[in-house]
Amino acid sequence: MLDSREPLVLNPADNVAILTARAPEGSRPLGAGAPLSAPVSPGHKLARVAIRQGGDIVKFGQVIGYATRPIDPGEHVHTHNCGFGAHDQDYHVGADLAAARAAIPQVEPATFQGYRRDNGQVGTRNMIAVCATVNCSATVIRRAAEEVMRSGVLAYYPTIDGVVAFAHGTGCGMAAEGPGFDNLQRVLWGHATHPNVGAAVFVGLGCEVMQVARMKSRFGDGAADRFHGLTIQDTGGTTKTIAMIVDQIHALLPEVSRATREAVPASELRLALQCGGSDGFSGITANPALGAASDLLVGMGGTAILSETPEIYGAEQLLLRRAATPAVADKLIERIRWWERYTEINGGSMDNNPSPGNKQGGLTTILEKSLGAAAKGGSTPLTAVYEYAETVTARGFVFMDTPGYDPVSATGQIAGGAQVVVFTTGRGSAFGSKPAPTIKVATNDRLYAQMPDDMDINCGDIVSAGVSIEAKGREILERVLAVASGEKTKSESLGLGDNEFVPWQVGAVM
């Protein structure tokens, strides 16, 4: 239980404390040291002791940066005096595996009301997807989906949650093989065959690089009853294609509407863990609470998917210490090294993240942000590491390699089979997703009060009211099960999710 009456010290080894309320100019929040020369906002750090130039700055018991000049006790610690430094890691693979196995909670099994598909998949929504293979068909699928939704026909099919157009900006002018092509192919197939999708229509131009036939040959045609396709060139142009898509959707409605919800075990859930617009409270309230929920789900036999590789940078050693096998660890290390090369050849740095908003909220370096972000993954063993948008089959806590950019990351997790997304935020986010709904979790009371139409759960009361991390984790999981059973999230009520489908583009545009 956290005490909000004074700055928080998260670990006895920490040499910084976290402000829980605004400290005015001239005040001494730690009761010692020189008075503050300027106001300091909640979520920011103050030095508990003197820190020499070049010395470690420690939070969560881990190094989050290095003093770029001497820091006095009570002084504000932030970007003006805390730098990124070198990222040298001495990995101890599997060192905490026994403790991680012991951390799997023994919990009563739970159920939710889901859609059991003929192939054994379980959905939390029942949608019809219209997928563009290329940007050239983006307009026609959007217009067709909008026409069906505006017509009011879904009022006659209450078990169908919507018709969604998955349009994007690529599909041609790209290499016909390699990581960029593979990413898009997995994303498109993953959304078309997603457990929350009752049927899908692929729409292409006809001459693009991303061909439907090639996808079928790679992934198999086992979903033929849920899978349909056409091209603009063969259909006779834009107007005829829109009409043809609308006709196909109308023909699919009766069959898709036959799906009914039934009680299924929580072990069928794959939960996507996301954070965005993070602040200094993210790693203290919402992220560890989501980690507690993840542990509970793993204890029930379900799957929690952590992602955003650039946002675990500096904290990957904590995941590697609980890797289930050396092969799992090797795959994660390989992805970390790939990202180091990728950012370097593109003139960037792994410390380009945190964003300006993250820094305004109190985060200073990517090392600090990553320690908070990794907390979403709870405490259980890391059982698998997946490539972007790869189908997730392992149970337990897993990792998927994605960028930190929220829409791109969530698009990959959903393509991998996640049926629900939980998204923590401290600065505020207007994110939503389809076909998997997003639950948004505020890290602080101010945000929850300021954006009531967007936030589903408040974790600010962990600090302001002493609610335990464990209790909040149970609250999050209960909401996940309710949403999986059909309860609408705030982002669904707002209609968010159509523009957050953003496949990860890697490679040359040609």
Side-chain angles (χ1 to χ4, degrees), residues 338-363:
W338 183 92
W339 272 97
E340 290 174 331
R341 296 191 300 272
Y342 179 61
T343 53
E344 182 180 1
I345 64 175
N346 284 284
S349 161
M350 293 300 286
D351 199 40
N352 285 356
N353 195 336
S355 69
N358 296 153
K359 292 176 180 178
Q360 289 174 17
L363 297 175

Side-chain angles (χ1 to χ4, degrees), residues 155-446:
Y156 299 99
Y157 301 98
T159 62
I160 297 179
D161 295 297
V163 176
V164 58
F166 292 117
H168 55 91
T170 183
C172 203
M174 63 190 303
E177 57 184 21
F181 183 88
D182 292 342
N183 284 352
L184 181 59
Q185 196 172 56
R186 286 195 297 264
V187 163
L188 293 175
W189 192 261
H191 279 71
T193 60
H194 193 275
N196 290 4
V197 170
V201 180
F202 269 113
V203 183
L205 176 62
C207 56
E208 63 270 17
V209 171
M210 185 57 60
Q211 292 285 322
V212 173
R214 187 172 172 185
M215 270 191 281
K216 283 186 175 183
S217 67
R218 173 176 175 177
F219 296 107
D221 204 11
D225 58 328
R226 293 166 53 189
F227 179 88
H228 309 268
L230 67 154
T231 67
I232 296 171
Q233 291 168 349
D234 288 343
T235 305
T238 297
T239 303
K240 290 181 180 178
T241 301
I242 293 170
M244 177 69 77
I245 298 169
V246 171
D247 287 345
Q248 284 204 351
I249 293 171
H250 278 275
L252 291 169
L253 290 172
E255 179 61 31
V256 175
S257 71
R258 291 192 181 96
T260 57
R261 291 187 181 271
E262 61 182 77
V264 293
S267 58
E268 296 288 354
L269 277 178
R270 283 171 285 190
L271 182 66
L273 313 175
Q274 277 290 322
C275 62
S278 300
D279 70 350
F281 290 109
S282 294
I284 300 170
T285 62
N287 287 354
L290 180 52
S294 301
D295 287 348
L296 290 171
L297 181 61
V298 169
M300 294 175 180
T303 303
I305 309 169
L306 183 66
S307 296
E308 302 174 295
T309 313
E311 296 187 12
I312 64 153
Y313 191 72
E316 75 271 16
Q317 77 276 10
L318 301 180
L319 303 181
L320 292 167
R321 291 177 69 91
R322 50 190 172 114
T325 66
V328 169
D330 289 345
K331 190 166 184 180
L332 180 58
I333 294 169
E334 187 278 326
R335 298 319 299 161
I336 292 289
R337 299 291 175 253
W338 183 92
W339 272 97
E340 290 174 331
R341 296 191 300 272
Y342 179 61
T343 53
E344 182 180 1
I345 64 175
N346 284 284
S349 161
M350 293 300 286
D351 199 40
N352 285 356
N353 195 336
S355 69
N358 296 153
K359 292 176 180 178
Q360 289 174 17
L363 297 175
T364 305
T365 67
I366 187 57
L367 305 180
E368 179 181 11
K369 184 177 183 180
S370 292
L371 289 167
K376 301 192 303 291
S379 306
T380 63
L382 176 66
T383 60
V385 175
Y386 290 95
E387 294 184 19
Y388 181 77
E390 187 179 0
T391 300
V392 173
T393 57
R395 303 276 182 166
F397 168 56
V398 305
F399 187 84
M400 177 181 285
D401 178 36
T402 77
Y405 184 42
D406 312 323
V408 179
S409 180
T411 295
Q413 291 174 314
I414 293 169
Q419 308 110 309
V420 177
V421 180
V422 177
F423 188 116
T424 69
T425 181
R427 303 290 294 171
S429 173
F431 181 85
S433 55
K434 294 178 181 178
T438 289
I439 301 167
K440 290 203 288 295
V441 181
T443 72
N444 60 81
D445 293 336
R446 177 203 56 80

